[in-house]
Amino acid sequence: MYQQSKKLLKEQGLAASKKLGQNFLVHRHTAKRIVDYAELSKQDTVLEIGVGLGALTRPLAEAAGQVIGLEADSGIIRLHEEQQGGPEHPDGLPENVQLLHQDVLKANYEELVQRCHGKKLKIIANLPYSISSPFLFQLIEHHEQIDFAVVMLQKEVAQRLLAQPGTKEYGVPTVLLRTVATVKMLMSVGPEEFHPRPKIDSAVIRISFSPLSERAVGAFDHNLLKIVVNSTFGQRRKTLLNGLASSGLLSKDVLRECILQAELLPSVRAEQLALEEFIRLTQVITKHKNQ
Ligand code: SAM
C-alpha cells in the first residue's frame, strides 16, 4: 500500500500537502484495526473526516452501511470522482461512500446529522495534526449531536486528554472534554505507518459522548464552567484565586468566598483541581451571581 499511495499521488500529479496535514496511512491491517475499534454494523452510517486516498474509507465501507466522507482537498475529491464507480477503475471508492468537498471546521453539524439519517454522529478520522485542537473544541461544542469519535491524533494530544490532575499535560481540553465524554486510549501508531512519515508518534483514542449530569454531579452552567476553566488555566502559574479574579465574574473578595464555599483553597493552582471540583466551584459562583 505504501508504494501504491506514492504511485497514485505521482500519477495524479498530486503531492502530499503539509498544510493539509496529509500523512496517509500505508498499511491495510492498521487501517482495519482502527475501523474495528469503531464496532460498526451494516445499519450504521459513519462520518469520516479527511478521506485522503481512502485508506480508512475502504474498510469503513465494508463495515458500515454508508460512509459520508469529508475532504478539504479539491485535488483528492477530483481524483476520487474520476475513479468512483466504473469497472475500469477497480481502485475507486465503493459506491456506498458519499464524498463531500468540505472543511470540517466549517461544517454544519445539523446538516451532517440529517445526512446520517437523523442519528447521532459516529465519527472516524485520521486527523491532520494542525486541526486536532480546534476539531476537539468543535466536538465539545456539538457533543449532543455525536455518539462517538474514534480519532488518530498526535500522541502528545491524546496524553493531554487522558491526563490526571497535578500533571503538566492536564489542561483546558482535558477538563472541558471530560464534561461531555469519556476518553479511552486504543493504540499507539509509529511514524512508519504513514507516507510521508511524520516526525512524531500518533495515537488512536475513542471519545464516547454522554452528558456528565447523567453521571451524577448535579446541574451546572457549561458556559460559566468554560469561563472558570479558561481563566484559571490561562494564568497557570497564578493561584486559583488570582486566575479566577482575571475573569471579572465577581469581585475578588466574593470569588475568594466562593472558593472557600466550594471547599477549595484560594492558593491552589488550576491544574490541581479535578473536574468535580471545577464543577462545584462553578455551582457556587452561579449561586452568588444570582443573589
Ligand atoms: N484518511 C486518510 C488516511 O488515513 O490515510 C488521510 C488522513 S490525512 C492525515 C488527513 C486528511 O484530511 C487529508 O486528506 C487532508 O487533505 C484532509 N484535511 C485536512 N484538513 C481538513 C479539513 N479542515 N477538513 C476536512 N479534511 C481535511
Side-chain angles (χ1 to χ4, degrees):
M1 208 158 154
Y2 173 63
Q3 287 307 330
Q4 271 176 14
S5 39
K6 257 172 102 168
K7 196 168 142 240
L8 193 62
L9 285 170
K10 208 171 159 200
E11 274 172 12
Q12 300 297 323
L14 298 170
S17 154
K18 232 182 180 171
K19 190 166 153 246
L20 287 170
Q22 291 180 348
N23 299 99
F24 302 113
L25 269 173
V26 293
H27 295 127
R28 212 165 273 147
H29 60 269
T30 309
K32 171 85 169 55
R33 253 183 97 190
I34 297 170
V35 169
D36 285 348
Y37 278 123
E39 298 174 350
L40 297 163
S41 80
K42 282 288 173 194
Q43 275 70 51
D44 291 322
T45 298
V46 62
L47 177 68
E48 188 193 0
I49 314 299
V51 167
L53 302 177
L56 283 173
T57 322
R58 290 183 180 87
L60 276 175
E62 270 174 37
Q66 203 191 351
V67 183
I68 311 282
L70 262 54
E71 174 54 60
D73 186 338
S74 54
I76 284 184
I77 293 283
R78 201 187 57 238
L79 167 82
H80 289 307
E81 279 173 355
E82 282 168 6
Q83 294 198 336
Q84 199 165 16
E88 67 278 16
H89 290 300
D91 294 334
L93 291 179
E95 286 186 342
N96 61 340
V97 177
Q98 188 188 347
L99 277 186
L100 299 178
H101 182 201
Q102 178 151 48
D103 175 345
V104 66
L105 298 180
K106 295 183 186 149
N108 176 334
Y109 273 65
E110 296 284 339
E111 209 178 291
L112 292 176
V113 169
Q114 289 314 314
R115 284 186 189 273
C116 294
H117 313 288
K119 299 221 177 100
K120 287 196 178 189
L121 303 174
K122 296 173 194 290
I123 299 175
I124 306 263
N126 169 10
L127 283 181
Y129 295 142
S130 56
I131 71 162
S132 52
S133 203
F135 179 68
L136 286 167
F137 284 110
Q138 190 184 43
L139 293 186
I140 295 170
E141 191 185 329
H142 295 283
H143 65 96
E144 285 174 350
Q145 289 148 309
I146 309 168
D147 180 351
F148 67 81
V150 170
V151 288
M152 171 129 67
L153 31 64
Q154 302 93 311
K155 196 169 190 181
E156 187 199 316
V157 175
Q159 282 163 342
R160 269 191 252 149
L161 298 179
L162 289 152
Q164 293 305 313
T167 61
K168 70 174 184 345
E169 289 81 17
Y170 189 67
V172 175
T174 329
V175 178
L176 295 184
L177 188 60
R178 248 165 236 185
T179 62
V180 293
T182 53
V183 183
K184 191 175 163 199
M185 174 67 97
L186 298 175
M187 64 193 264
S188 295
V189 184
E192 68 284 357
E193 294 289 338
F194 303 91
H195 168 73
R197 291 185 181 203
K199 290 200 175 70
I200 53 171
D201 285 332
S202 305
V204 181
I205 57 170
R206 183 183 173 108
I207 310 173
S208 306
F209 290 82
S210 69
L212 189 65
S213 49
E214 283 173 19
R215 290 186 258 137
V217 284
F220 64 95
D221 179 338
H222 279 257
N223 283 332
L224 189 60
L225 177 84
K226 225 185 272 175
I227 297 172
V228 169
V229 172
N230 277 319
S231 64
T232 54
F233 274 108
Q235 320 265 328
R236 254 185 123 102
R237 264 176 275 145
K238 286 194 177 176
T239 63
L240 179 63
L241 175 60
N242 284 339
L244 197 55
S246 72
S247 69
L249 282 169
L250 291 162
S251 74
K252 195 167 177 180
D253 284 344
V254 177
L255 287 172
R256 180 185 287 107
E257 189 52 32
C258 291
I259 291 173
L260 293 172
Q261 279 181 22
E263 296 172 29
L264 299 168
L265 290 173
S267 59
V268 295
R269 314 244 179 261
E271 66 202 38
Q272 292 169 271
L273 299 196
L275 170 63
E276 291 70 19
E277 293 173 314
F278 275 113
I279 291 176
R280 221 162 56 221
L281 180 56
T282 303
Q283 288 163 333
V284 176
I285 294 173
T286 303
K287 253 193 251 160
H288 279 264
K289 276 177 73 71
N290 294 339
Q291 268 171 14

